[in-house]
Amino acid sequence: MTVTILATVIVLIFLGIMYLVTLVFYNNKKNRMIKEKLTMQTQFQQTLLQTQLEIQEQTFKNISQEIHDNIGQVLSLVKLNINTMELDKPEPLQEKIDNSRTLITKAIQDLRDLSKSLNTDYVIELGLMRSIEYELEMIQRTVNCEIAFTANGKAYRLERQQELILFRIVQEVLHNIIKHSKATAINVTAVFEPETFTLTIADNGIGFDAGKIEDHNYEGFGLGIRNMHNRAKMINADYKLTSTLQKGTTVTITLPLIKNIQP
Amino acid sequence: MNIIYYQYFEYMSLLVAIICYRGLKKFSIALFIALIFLGCLADTLGENYSGWGLNRLTNHNEDYLIYNPYLILSTPILLHLFGKMLRLTKKEKKVFLWISLLVMALILLNYFFGEGVFNFNTNSLVLIALVTIFLSVFVLLRLAMEEERVITFFKEPFFWISSGFLLFGLGELILGLQTYIEMNNIKLFGKSIYTLVMDILNVFLYSAFSLAFILCQKYIRT
């Protein structure tokens, strides 16, 4: 009987200890998960901040180019008009005044557009579609290229972070097209579907061997492409790059919509 | 004056609880001082029951006259402390209150109409042990399930308190067999199994309490 009672006590206490050990193990696992989650959140915030800074930097570049190539030229033309005005010849004078007025109106409009983009939160304020449109307008002014932008489906707003990251990817893709592709046409398409949002950027440039990129899982290639791929992953989007030599490149970003769609 | 070795741990935990009063208050478990004080008083009187002539005073040789009221007095404090450690919501508080009232009613019924004043209230003790085990398991689960912060169990006062209560409660369950053990005079190493096991569990319980109280105090310093 002594053995039975003692065994019962030992078994009960052993079960209690096992319960405590299991809880400790479970808690350690949970702690690791919480820490990982926190690290991921911090990483996400850092990437988001970096994305904002890159957008800002790109915007400043655009502004500088815009001031130099467009507004500066327009104002120079106005100055030239004023300098060559002859008060004793009323007809050409009136023409030059009208011309200068038109040029100044254009310069004012361009300045207004520029001041809008100086606000670093303009992607959030304007929304992804308008921001892409604006970006394409800016490119159109500087590059001799046919640009088309189409949106299909009933438009909706995405989450703030998603819009920021998508816009940055678009900026990077466009930048790459201008820099490397020698394309004469750029086609941007946004497709709004109830469960997915798809953005396609295609060009008809020289293209490259995209197979290598997928073989190496986006590692070892330009920081830009890897960054775009990583950023897309961060918002759970699928980033697909296809390219054919001498035919062009297409980037397709597909974002599954799970929650938080702002109407 | 007779003092069993585990009582030193009991007195020590009372002393630590008094020293760490502010820490205990911060965790809303200052009533532990009252609970341990009652335990110290009951154990001291119980161990010296015949030595101090309490048996002549009460006309009874058994110390149940001390331990039965101890059970009645300590249980509401114990339940209150568990209520605090569980960090109950408003709805849960209501359920907990009803369970506590039911437990108290059963203990009082057993005292007055069941096993009575002059017999040890084994049924009450087993009931308290079961409730203690059940509530300790819940406190520990609550701690483990907390999703908002990183918790190091060994630095959590409630972990040590609940672990102590859980293992003590599991051991205490054999007290249900106490009458049988005594009737058959079952011994191990010349001691009653009950005494042997409970002494060891008491040492663990009060050591765990002391450690928990120190952690409470440490918490307010950081």
Side-chain angles (χ1 to χ4, degrees):
Chain A
M1 187 48 70
T2 312
V3 175
T4 316
I5 295 170
L6 201 64
T8 316
V9 177
I10 290 170
V11 167
L12 277 177
I13 291 174
F14 177 74
L15 284 175
I17 293 170
M18 281 309 289
Y19 173 72
L20 291 174
V21 171
T22 313
L23 276 188
V24 169
F25 271 107
Y26 171 80
N27 187 59
N28 286 348
K29 202 176 162 189
K30 187 199 76 187
N31 282 351
R32 269 201 303 274
M33 276 171 71
I34 293 176
K35 276 180 192 167
E36 264 174 40
K37 201 175 143 189
L38 282 173
T39 316
M40 274 171 73
Q41 271 174 351
T42 317
Q43 227 173 357
F44 185 73
Q45 290 303 324
Q46 276 174 349
T47 313
L48 206 65
L49 192 70
Q50 199 190 337
T51 306
Q52 271 175 316
L53 286 171
E54 282 172 6
I55 292 172
Q56 198 178 11
E57 197 186 325
Q58 187 65 41
T59 309
F60 285 154
K61 265 187 200 169
N62 289 344
I63 290 166
S64 151
Q65 209 167 0
E66 180 77 358
I67 289 171
H68 181 265
D69 300 349
N70 202 354
I71 302 167
Q73 297 298 324
V74 169
L75 291 177
S76 297
L77 216 58
V78 173
K79 191 185 167 195
L80 191 74
N81 271 345
I82 294 168
N83 283 344
T84 54
M85 275 178 190
E86 291 172 82
L87 295 172
D88 52 338
K89 291 177 184 167
E91 240 179 67
L93 179 67
Q94 187 56 46
E95 197 184 314
K96 278 183 181 171
I97 288 172
D98 289 345
N99 195 10
S100 300
R101 195 181 287 141
T102 314
L103 287 170
I104 287 171
T105 309
K106 188 184 179 302
I108 289 169
Q109 189 54 48
D110 287 349
L111 275 173
R112 271 190 193 139
D113 288 347
L114 272 183
S115 75
K116 255 190 228 167
S117 64
L118 270 173
N119 179 0
T120 50
D121 285 337
Y122 75 97
V123 179
I124 296 150
E125 275 180 26
L126 296 177
L128 180 66
M129 289 299 102
R130 183 68 197 101
S131 302
I132 293 175
E133 224 172 343
Y134 179 71
E135 190 73 14
L136 293 172
E137 279 169 23
M138 296 280 274
I139 291 168
Q140 183 79 82
R141 283 180 200 165
T142 51
V143 183
N144 186 19
C145 189
E146 202 179 300
I147 295 175
F149 178 49
T150 45
N152 301 325
K154 196 181 172 194
Y156 43 72
R157 289 289 300 264
L158 302 167
E159 276 179 35
R160 184 178 177 270
Q161 293 97 324
Q162 289 174 332
E163 290 204 338
L164 262 178
I165 286 172
L166 283 174
F167 179 70
R168 180 63 198 136
I169 293 174
V170 172
Q171 256 190 345
E172 187 74 30
V173 173
L174 292 173
H175 179 77
N176 285 347
I177 292 173
I178 294 161
K179 208 172 164 190
H180 310 288
S181 78
K182 294 176 186 166
T184 54
I186 302 171
N187 209 338
V188 181
T189 317
V191 182
F192 292 89
E193 284 172 314
E195 283 170 9
T196 49
F197 169 74
T198 313
L199 200 60
T200 312
I201 307 148
D203 69 70
N204 63 347
I206 55 169
F208 61 96
D209 187 3
K212 279 183 192 170
I213 291 182
E214 283 182 2
D215 291 346
H216 292 80
N217 199 22
Y218 294 90
E219 296 295 328
F221 281 83
L223 199 66
I225 290 177
R226 213 166 53 227
N227 268 351
M228 283 189 276
H229 181 249
N230 289 341
R231 278 176 193 171
K233 256 199 325 197
M234 199 168 268
I235 53 167
N236 278 330
D238 179 51
Y239 177 90
K240 201 174 175 194
L241 192 147
T242 51
S243 188
T244 315
L245 280 169
Q246 305 308 325
K247 282 195 175 169
T249 306
T250 304
V251 171
T252 311
I253 308 149
T254 312
L255 179 75
L257 304 171
I258 304 160
K259 51 175 187 170
N260 291 343
I261 296 169
Q262 296 164 14
Chain B
M1 184 174 158
N2 283 336
I3 296 177
I4 304 172
Y5 71 94
Y6 81 79
Q7 283 180 275
Y8 290 111
F9 288 87
E10 199 176 9
Y11 298 142
M12 182 189 70
S13 72
L14 178 64
L15 188 70
V16 175
I18 293 166
I19 294 168
C20 303
Y21 173 72
R22 279 180 60 215
L24 267 69
K25 214 176 160 193
K26 177 86 186 163
F27 280 80
S28 313
I29 52 169
L31 263 180
F32 256 108
I33 296 173
L35 183 74
I36 300 170
F37 175 75
L38 275 178
C40 287
L41 193 68
D43 285 336
T44 311
L45 290 176
E47 281 306 318
N48 297 285
Y49 191 70
S50 30
W52 287 352
L54 293 172
N55 52 346
R56 287 193 298 276
L57 207 70
T58 56
N59 273 337
H60 277 89
N61 284 330
E62 301 294 345
D63 55 10
Y64 306 146
L65 281 173
I66 288 165
Y67 282 109
N68 286 340
Y70 165 73
L71 288 181
I72 296 169
L73 289 174
S74 64
T75 309
I77 302 174
L78 185 76
L79 289 168
H80 172 83
L81 287 168
F82 268 115
K84 291 288 175 192
M85 287 196 288
L86 278 166
R87 290 175 182 142
L88 302 164
T89 60
K90 233 179 180 180
K91 214 175 176 181
E92 290 167 341
K93 262 182 194 165
K94 270 186 190 172
V95 178
F96 186 76
L97 186 70
W98 280 108
I99 293 171
S100 304
L101 288 174
L102 183 70
V103 170
M104 279 315 295
L106 289 171
I107 291 170
L108 288 170
L109 278 173
N110 190 38
Y111 184 72
F112 289 113
F113 307 109
E115 289 171 307
V117 179
F118 300 109
N119 293 310
F120 187 57
N121 292 177
T122 313
N123 294 340
S124 302
L125 197 84
V126 171
L127 176 69
I128 294 165
L130 284 170
V131 171
T132 309
I133 293 165
F134 183 73
L135 293 175
S136 306
V137 165
F138 258 89
V139 173
L140 289 165
L141 269 179
R142 277 251 151 121
L143 263 184
M145 295 293 172
E146 208 169 309
E147 299 263 314
E148 286 162 16
R149 63 187 177 109
V150 173
I151 294 172
T152 311
F153 262 0
F154 302 123
K155 287 181 184 173
E156 283 295 316
F158 290 175
F159 169 77
W160 288 108
I161 292 169
S162 302
S163 301
F165 272 136
L166 176 66
L167 296 184
F168 186 81
L170 287 169
E172 213 176 23
L173 271 181
I174 58 154
L175 273 182
L177 300 168
Q178 196 216 16
T179 320
Y180 180 85
I181 293 168
E182 281 185 353
M183 267 169 62
N184 292 280
N185 200 23
I186 298 167
K187 292 193 173 191
L188 191 73
F189 308 125
K191 268 187 168 185
S192 156
I193 287 186
Y194 161 67
T195 314
L196 193 80
V197 173
M198 288 320 288
D199 285 0
I200 295 168
L201 288 177
N202 265 306
V203 170
F204 176 72
L205 178 72
Y206 290 109
S207 306
F209 281 178
S210 303
L211 182 59
F213 301 154
I214 293 165
L215 288 171
C216 284
Q217 191 70 11
K218 255 188 165 180
Y219 184 86
I220 58 161
R221 278 188 198 151
T222 51

